[in-house]
Amino acid sequence: MTVFPARALLAAGTTLLATAAGAQTTTGMAQMLSMTGHCDRLRLGERDLTATCSAKLVKIINPNGRISVYFLLADSRAVSFSGMDDKDAAPDTDVMHLDKVFTTRLDTLDAPDAFPASGTCRFGNTMKGPMTIACEGTFTEGGTFSALFTTDGSPPT
């Protein structure tokens, strides 16, 4: 498990994902889990990004309950679904109530675009074999999004 300062993660987008060597493990910091598997779907409005989606997904858990799930793209960009953890989820499942979707651009990897949104991400226990992460919802300004990633069952790193 790798730990990063929570504020820096949102500001830097995927740039920090490549700098794990400088991570600190300090109380009060965000926890980062990297998973491998298969990206089954990644759609933002009319844009279907499934073909560019990589076999890696990153989940960041902040001490305040905010979770971000990063779908990494083959060209170094990322799409992140961000929201608050649902403390009442069933055992071995988790629900995240989304309020933002972030996307990085090749010209500004360290300054992601933020889009207000509403929706959910649902996922199982990453330590109990293969599981699915499913996100869906709507953008505040119109349009829908959906993403689906299936892990290969390997423990997160």
Side-chain angles (χ1 to χ4, degrees), residues 28-96:
M29 305 299 263
Q31 181 181 50
M32 181 174 121
L33 304 171
S34 178
M35 293 166 262
T36 55
H38 185 265
C39 181
D40 303 300
R41 180 177 59 242
L42 182 56
R43 291 189 185 115
L44 302 176
E46 298 295 320
R47 294 174 46 205
D48 188 345
L49 301 171
T50 306
T52 64
C53 199
S54 78
K56 290 188 180 181
L57 180 125
V58 175
K59 177 180 172 187
I60 298 171
I61 306 159
N62 291 290
N64 67 357
R66 178 165 289 279
I67 299 174
S68 296
V69 177
Y70 288 78
F71 284 72
L72 306 179
L73 305 183
D75 62 3
S76 299
R77 293 179 298 147
V79 175
S80 171
F81 300 95
S82 182
M84 296 304 290
D85 187 24
D86 182 348
K87 299 293 182 198
D88 296 327
D92 292 329
T93 63
D94 208 353
V95 177
M96 180 172 74

Side-chain angles (χ1 to χ4, degrees), residues 99-116:
D99 58 9
K100 292 183 181 117
V101 176
F102 293 93
T103 60
T104 57
R105 298 186 327 231
L106 291 175
D107 61 339
T108 58
L109 287 175
D110 62 343
D113 294 327
F115 301 95

